[in-house]
Amino acid sequence: MIWNEPKECMSRDERTAEQSQRLKETVNRVYHNVAFYRKKMQELGLEPGDIKGIEDIHKLPFTTKNDLRENYPFGLFAVPKSEIVRVHASSGTTGKPIVVGYTRKDIDLFSEVVARAYCCAGATKDDIVQIAYGYGLFTGGLGMHYGAEKLGAAVVPISGGNTEKQLALMQDFGSTILACTPSYAAFLSEAIEEAGIDKNQLQLKAGIFGAEPWSNEMRAKIEEGLGITAYDIYGLSEIIGPGVSCSCYVQEGLHVAEDHFYPEILDPETLKAVTPGTTGELVFTTITKEGMPLLRYRTRDLASLNYDACACGRTNVRMSKIQGRSDDMLIIRGVNVFPSQVESALLEIEEAKPHYMLIVDRVGTMDTLEIQVEIDDRYFSDEMVELNKVRQKIKHKVESILGISVNINLVEHKTIARSEGKAKRVIDRRKI
Ligand code: DLL
């Protein structure tokens, strides 16, 4: 079933006409309501009237994570604060998170695109959806929750973690759809096996997994382990959260909700459009959002677009699975981590030097993060107790900024290799 056939199955001509109209409205809105965009457009000598349709999108300025950071927390909102009904936040490149705001209409549109994703995965109002994405500032839990309610399914808002309870409720309630990160899905499938639960006795039929990169091999493993069909859902807080795109039963790419989020693929170096089908950086313009519309937001995610017809009947463009990033962001246990966040934490600690190395690994299905930190000679000690105090202090600071647990490994000054060019700060040993 298709959730919103008129919107998901439009002809390309209708689509372009609608996108053009919506882009013009958005440009007008941000020009008149967001000082940041007015200034950027003025610097380019652009007025809203210069944007005549979607073909003019390349004239518009870009937006980056840094722009969000500089306008922290509410500087990019395009409506008075009284119109905002919810905020979410996600990791920034330093200590401060980036913040996004939604009007009531934005929440409706968020729920709409997530309902489409559930439908893509074959879910209906008869399903029981177990949501094991984190609830809170992260868009995953609440985003998937509102979408499932819009669909009319029964939601089990268990949030992430607490594996024993996940398994108990999955059996007792007969959950039919599981929504969580792919790594947690893999972890649950192992836990099911270890607990001696027969997967064929579970009612689960599909999973909607995203928020981190995963491969088709991983998909096959999860499908086998849980006895389900697994679907990919993509999104980012800046644009809406989950539901920017999702895969259908054809499993050849993710349909973009392009009546709301207009995608471009650009060469990350030249910022020029690549030839269709080529991998480059995904850039999105929100064309219906009210609270915090963004023009040409550089996601740093690498993917390609495919405009061919899809056997499922939806006509909206498909993006490939995410192939990587054009920056150094890592996703560890579903949480976005920038090496620069670690650096800004260390700079606040007297005993630590800003020389560090992140070592990411996957033990079984669980990501681990070890951080090697050089400490100042003055504080290096033979006393375990003293060193432990320093370690705890660093661990506490880093964990409070990253939001995940880490192992801190203290090393002596000048242990970590210095580089003459771009410092190598990360060793990622995971096989995704
Ligand atoms: O991860 C939103 C989300 C929640 C998507 C639940 C899907 C399910 P952020 O925390 O802002 O938002 O992180 C966004 O996560 O730029 C990608 O790098 C990565 N990402 C999200 N979905 C996928 C996916 C949420 N399906 C960042 N495949 C994005 C690969 C993904 N990477």
Side-chain angles (χ1 to χ4, degrees), residues 27 33 218 296 304 330 349 371:
V27 169
N33 297 306
M218 174 94 150
R296 306 189 84 198
S304 58
L330 298 155
I349 295 178
I371 306 178

Side-chain angles (χ1 to χ4, degrees), residues 32-305:
H32 294 293
N33 297 306
V34 187
F36 165 81
Y37 279 123
R38 188 163 48 251
K39 182 160 172 272
K40 277 219 162 187
M41 284 179 63
Q42 282 168 348
E43 279 165 9
L44 293 170
L46 264 184
E47 286 191 2
D50 296 331
I51 304 301
K52 307 229 172 343
I54 205 77
E55 67 284 0
D56 289 327
I57 197 160
H58 65 96
K59 296 180 180 162
L60 290 167
F62 291 104
T63 313
T64 63
K65 216 182 246 299
N66 198 35
D67 295 325
L68 269 76
R69 185 168 66 110
E70 285 176 358
N71 289 284
Y72 176 86
F74 302 150
L76 294 182
F77 287 7
V79 295
K81 272 208 270 324
S82 56
E83 300 291 308
I84 297 288
V85 298
R86 196 194 296 169
V87 293
H88 278 292
S90 149
S91 309
T93 45
T94 59
K96 292 267 188 231
I98 56 112
V99 180
V100 292
Y102 305 73
T103 63
R104 195 167 300 283
K105 206 168 140 227
D106 293 338
I107 295 291
D108 286 347
L109 118 75
F110 192 2
S111 313
E112 155 78 20
V113 294
V114 174
R116 289 184 194 177
Y118 280 112
C119 237
C120 257
T124 69
K125 67 192 216 8
D126 296 326
D127 279 298
I128 300 181
V129 183
Q130 183 159 337
I131 299 183
Y133 285 110
Y135 279 64
L137 286 172
F138 177 53
T139 52
L142 281 169
M144 296 306 288
H145 182 113
Y146 273 58
E149 281 192 351
K150 176 135 193 158
L151 178 74
V155 185
V156 183
I158 183 167
S159 194
N162 205 342
T163 302
E164 240 174 75
K165 195 164 181 184
Q166 300 276 358
L167 299 188
L169 298 194
M170 194 179 278
Q171 294 173 90
D172 298 349
F173 296 179
S175 306
T176 51
I177 307 275
L178 174 65
C180 62
T181 60
S183 51
Y184 194 52
F187 184 76
L188 284 173
S189 93
E190 278 185 1
I192 285 172
E193 200 183 330
E194 278 162 23
I197 300 168
D198 176 4
K199 69 176 184 207
N200 299 314
Q201 296 298 312
L202 296 172
Q203 305 297 312
L204 274 189
K205 60 177 194 192
I208 307 189
F209 307 131
E212 63 184 10
W214 55 311
S215 57
N216 281 324
E217 292 69 34
M218 174 94 150
R219 174 157 64 88
K221 210 171 130 196
I222 296 171
E223 289 184 330
E224 165 62 28
L226 290 173
I228 59 168
T229 311
Y231 296 85
D232 196 355
I233 184 161
Y234 166 84
L236 60 163
S237 320
E238 295 89 321
I239 298 305
I240 194 84
V244 171
S245 66
C246 56
S247 62
C248 63
Y249 71 85
V250 176
Q251 300 279 9
E252 281 172 19
L254 292 81
H255 288 282
V256 179
E258 55 169 327
D259 47 333
H260 298 290
F261 318 116
Y262 182 80
E264 297 174 85
I265 301 276
L266 306 181
D267 177 321
E269 298 294 323
T270 63
L271 296 178
K272 297 273 177 265
V274 298
T275 46
T278 311
T279 298
E281 184 178 326
L282 254 176
V283 171
F284 281 105
T285 300
T286 67
I287 52 176
T288 51
K289 247 170 61 169
E290 295 179 335
M292 203 179 101
L294 294 183
L295 300 181
R296 306 189 84 198
Y297 183 71
R298 293 190 57 188
T299 65
R300 300 293 193 156
D301 289 318
L302 301 176
S304 58
L305 291 181

